[in-house]
Amino acid sequence: MFDDMPGFIWMDGQLMPWKDARIHIMTHALHYGSSVFEGVRSYRGKIFKGMEHCERLHASANMLAIKVPYTPFELLKAMELVLSKGQYQNAYIRMLVWCGSKVMTVSNRDIDIHVAIGMWERPLNYPRAYYEEGLKLKVASWRRPDPKSAPVASKAAGLYMISSMSKVDAEINGFNDALMLDLQGRIAEATSSNVFFVIDDILYTPPPECFLNGITRNTVIDLARSIGIGVKESPLTLVDLEKATEGFLTGTAIEILPIGSIEDRPFSWKFKPGPVTQKIRNAFLQMIETF
């Protein structure tokens, strides 16, 4: 139960027991989706790419006309405080900014802004089959919105309604996740992670035109190039995947997980990670062991 866990939450500048961090039922964000968030990881008691996440939180909030009352540096220090207080090692950290209950109209102008940081111990413990056989993806019926109709570059909570519906539908039908397309029918991402494919030994990933440009995504691109793997950010269709031999997802929560199949189409490396995927995953694991 996430409403009553041990530990502390940093909320609006002070630490409080986890169960005491509450909001009112008339909170604007609950009615109108006026909130943004970040998922961050710590390894061995150190925050991984913490400043990048804090800066992106600010950028996300700005797109929703929400002014964060703490600087990225202050947010980073608050994360470090909670991490130290709870003595977490491999924590998953959630930063949240939301509009409060001062105003109950569609507009969030002149409203009260709140910030909270919570975390819990969450080492990666996915089943071995996820790495040996890969994830099974279903093509989602819902599509990522047009960038002119939503703040797609923001990690806005409201945008995840589409992800939630698509993920539930995939799970009900026996899949692990859903592959989401854009309005033109091109590949975008999974429900909460970016996607990569290997075609002719080159790593391809869709350009972030209608979805969040992930921090892990950019880390993987840099890592791949540093170990001699070519990377192309290029629009992809489901037809293009007929030439793909490997695929994987990236994200802060999942790190790097291989894709085993999309709908009824398995990749040629089924039953073991592909060589390119394995090289990149090994490089990523080395990075988080030494940062």
Side-chain angles (χ1 to χ4, degrees):
M1 296 287 290
F2 274 86
D3 60 357
D4 189 9
M5 292 178 67
F8 295 85
I9 285 178
W10 183 93
M11 185 167 168
D12 294 336
Q14 61 181 336
L15 280 174
M16 61 182 65
W18 188 290
K19 62 183 176 62
D20 292 342
R22 304 289 183 181
I23 62 171
H24 196 273
I25 190 67
M26 299 307 290
T27 296
H28 192 277
L30 188 60
H31 295 256
Y32 296 110
S34 51
S35 65
V36 297
F37 69 97
E38 278 292 320
V40 192
R41 273 201 177 276
S42 77
Y43 298 99
R44 306 178 314 283
K46 296 190 295 182
I47 298 170
F48 185 63
K49 294 185 177 287
M51 184 55 74
E52 289 184 42
H53 283 282
C54 292
E55 290 173 345
R56 190 173 69 177
L57 185 74
H58 266 258
S60 292
N62 288 340
M63 292 179 211
L64 272 65
I66 297 173
K67 182 173 176 56
V68 183
Y70 301 93
T71 67
F73 179 77
E74 289 172 328
L75 292 173
L76 180 61
K77 289 302 177 183
M79 276 198 290
E80 292 173 347
L81 175 64
V82 181
L83 190 73
S84 174
K85 182 72 174 178
Q87 298 182 323
Y88 298 104
Q89 291 299 306
N90 300 303
Y92 182 77
I93 305 163
R94 180 57 61 94
M95 291 193 291
L96 180 69
V97 177
W98 72 96
C99 294
S101 54
K102 181 180 178 181
V103 174
M104 188 45 62
T105 62
V106 172
S107 172
N108 63 5
R109 188 178 179 186
D110 298 324
I111 203 167
D112 50 317
I113 308 298
H114 300 274
V115 184
I117 300 172
M119 61 185 71
W120 60 97
E121 203 70 46
R122 187 186 170 186
L124 260 68
N125 57 354
Y126 290 113
R128 187 173 177 179
Y130 279 21
Y131 298 98
E132 294 183 345
E133 300 176 21
L135 302 177
K136 297 186 296 181
L137 304 188
K138 179 183 186 296
V139 178
S141 56
W142 293 98
R143 298 199 173 185
R144 283 292 177 219
D146 188 297
K148 294 182 180 179
S149 66
V152 296
S154 169
K155 199 169 178 67
L159 290 173
Y160 282 77
M161 177 181 66
I162 307 169
S163 298
S164 180
M165 293 186 296
S166 299
K167 178 97 173 191
V168 168
D169 178 66
E171 291 174 344
I172 288 173
N173 285 280
F175 296 86
N176 303 115
D177 203 350
L179 182 67
M180 305 194 72
L181 310 179
D182 65 13
L183 287 181
Q184 288 74 43
R186 301 174 302 185
I187 293 167
E189 60 173 351
T191 57
S192 59
S193 50
N194 296 126
V195 65
F196 289 80
F197 298 98
V198 179
I199 301 174
D200 295 329
D201 296 321
I202 301 294
L203 194 61
Y204 283 81
T205 189
E209 297 171 346
C210 66
F211 57 86
L212 189 72
N213 186 9
I215 289 174
T216 308
R217 174 186 182 272
N218 288 321
T219 300
V220 164
I221 289 173
D222 291 341
L223 278 176
R225 288 172 173 159
S226 73
I227 59 176
I229 297 172
V231 181
K232 290 186 179 180
E233 295 184 75
S234 174
L236 295 168
T237 67
L238 293 173
V239 174
D240 292 323
L241 297 192
E242 295 175 5
K243 300 175 290 184
T245 54
E246 303 176 42
F248 58 87
L249 304 181
T250 64
T252 297
I254 65 170
E255 296 180 351
I256 298 173
L257 283 178
I259 302 170
S261 61
I262 298 175
E263 299 277 342
D264 58 353
R265 188 242 188 239
F267 287 104
S268 61
W269 57 269
K270 189 179 180 184
F271 304 125
K272 62 179 179 179
V276 175
T277 302
Q278 195 62 57
K279 285 180 183 178
I280 292 172
R281 184 165 180 269
N282 288 343
F284 182 83
L285 292 176
Q286 184 177 8
M287 169 183 279
I288 63 177
E289 282 296 323
T290 57
F291 83 96

